[in-house]
Amino acid sequence: MDLTRLQTETFLRGAEHHVEINSTNDRALELCRDAELPVPYLVLADQQTSGRGRGANRWWSSDGALLFSIIVDAAEFALPESRWPQVSLTVGVTVCEVLGNVSSAAVGLKWPNDIWLNDRKVCGILVEIPPVQRGRLVIGIGLNVNNSFAAAPPELQTIATSLRDEVGAEFDRANLLNDVVRQLDADLRRLAENDSSLPSRWQSRCVLRERTVSLDTSQQVVTGRCLGIANDGALRLQTPSGEQRFYGGIVRRIV
Ligand code: BTN
């Protein structure tokens, strides 16, 4: 992967590539301790030995996936803390649209941080706030590109997929990464400017809309018909007691 080209053509000011690492998010969180780190900074890996998902989830990957984390300084984008919870959805629409440009398969956003291709998970996003150097955000993205799920653990084969598995062709990972990084730069600026196109984009990509879902908020499990995603990023559910909005949780069941 040509990191020099990537830094010339995008907002990245620093980058590193690992053949194998525990987790690009863990490495990025560690790098955040350095106040002098040139940001935005990319940590890219071919393989992870302890890739992480939300909560206690692990992220399985094999050769051919795009695994990376980008450290950004929110102040550089004038991104107020009140909008940080919407970063994950913003990254989601960014990746959806990049995938939509290279394939005609149905690409959608499963609130709050998954991307689906033909109803299966093709990408996961993990945004973390480092405990040091306040103002920085770590945006972790695992995108299944040329890796096939034919070799994945059986429990993943029915719920996850890759671009190659769906489209039947290999993709240039460097080009995809370049596209994601460039569009991410533009979309983070839109988020900071409160650009109204963003909520309508994540709304139009919402795969849960009109479906009955059960949301586990860790305090309760709420079931309702999804009315889409609100402008502030909340999941809207029509429940027997009226419309309710949720800012976090795990969607457990979709009918
Ligand atoms: C999820 O689906 O819950 C989020 C998965 C995020 C996976 C990516 S892979 C690159 C980066 N490093 C990690 O350890 N996790 C993220």
Side-chain angles (χ1 to χ4, degrees):
M1 195 84 70
D2 185 349
L3 295 188
T4 312
R5 178 191 145 211
L6 201 57
Q7 287 177 78
T8 314
E9 296 181 359
T10 69
F11 72 166
L12 293 175
R13 299 219 184 94
E16 61 185 46
H17 176 214
H18 301 261
V19 172
E20 186 177 281
I21 198 170
N22 51 357
S23 146
T24 59
N25 263 42
D26 285 349
R27 170 69 180 153
L29 290 170
E30 190 184 299
L31 285 166
C32 281
R33 295 168 186 271
D34 177 3
E36 305 302 320
L37 185 80
V39 288
Y41 191 95
L42 171 79
V43 180
L44 175 69
D46 295 335
Q47 263 297 2
Q48 294 183 127
T49 51
S50 316
R52 294 188 290 110
R54 289 173 77 207
N57 291 345
R58 299 199 58 186
W59 180 258
W60 179 87
S61 64
S62 58
D63 282 349
L66 254 181
L67 309 165
F68 61 101
S69 303
I70 299 176
I71 303 168
V72 295
D73 181 1
E76 201 182 304
F77 292 89
L79 187 63
E81 216 166 317
S82 57
R83 298 233 174 82
W84 291 6
Q86 295 159 20
V87 168
S88 190
L89 281 173
T90 302
V91 177
V93 283
T94 299
V95 178
C96 274
E97 290 176 8
V98 168
L99 295 185
N101 287 340
V102 297
S103 123
S104 54
V107 191
L109 193 57
K110 186 200 152 218
W111 183 94
N113 66 336
D114 291 350
I115 292 160
W116 278 8
L117 195 64
N118 291 343
D119 269 352
R120 289 183 189 195
K121 182 164 173 170
V122 71
C123 175
I125 296 159
L126 182 63
V127 177
E128 296 186 299
I129 300 168
V132 289
Q133 300 296 339
R134 284 205 59 74
R136 286 181 178 172
L137 297 171
V138 169
I139 300 170
I141 300 177
L143 178 56
N144 299 318
V145 182
N146 296 326
N147 50 319
S148 173
F149 273 72
E155 66 275 16
L156 291 182
Q157 289 186 9
T158 51
I159 57 169
T161 191
S162 71
L163 258 179
R164 188 183 110 187
D165 283 346
E166 294 306 313
V167 179
E170 296 236 336
F171 288 80
D172 185 321
R173 289 183 310 149
N175 283 345
L176 276 177
L177 179 59
N178 198 302
D179 290 350
V180 169
V181 174
R182 279 202 293 183
Q183 192 169 328
L184 184 62
D185 178 12
D187 283 337
L188 288 177
R189 287 179 206 287
R190 289 190 182 100
L191 182 63
E193 289 158 8
N194 216 4
D195 186 322
S196 63
S197 71
L198 266 183
S200 54
R201 281 161 63 204
W202 65 55
Q203 175 78 341
S204 71
R205 291 279 176 182
C206 177
V207 295
L208 300 178
R209 202 166 171 181
E210 301 300 339
R211 294 175 81 167
T212 299
V213 305
S214 292
L215 179 75
D216 184 346
T217 68
S218 80
Q219 272 120 40
Q220 53 173 341
V221 176
V222 185
T223 299
R225 190 169 57 87
C226 178
L227 302 173
I229 303 170
N231 285 357
D232 64 357
L235 185 72
R236 300 174 56 205
L237 291 188
Q238 184 67 47
T239 71
S241 53
E243 180 182 335
Q244 293 187 51
R245 295 183 176 211
F246 299 91
Y247 293 89
I250 295 174
V251 175
R252 296 268 181 224
R253 207 170 67 97
I254 306 164
V255 186

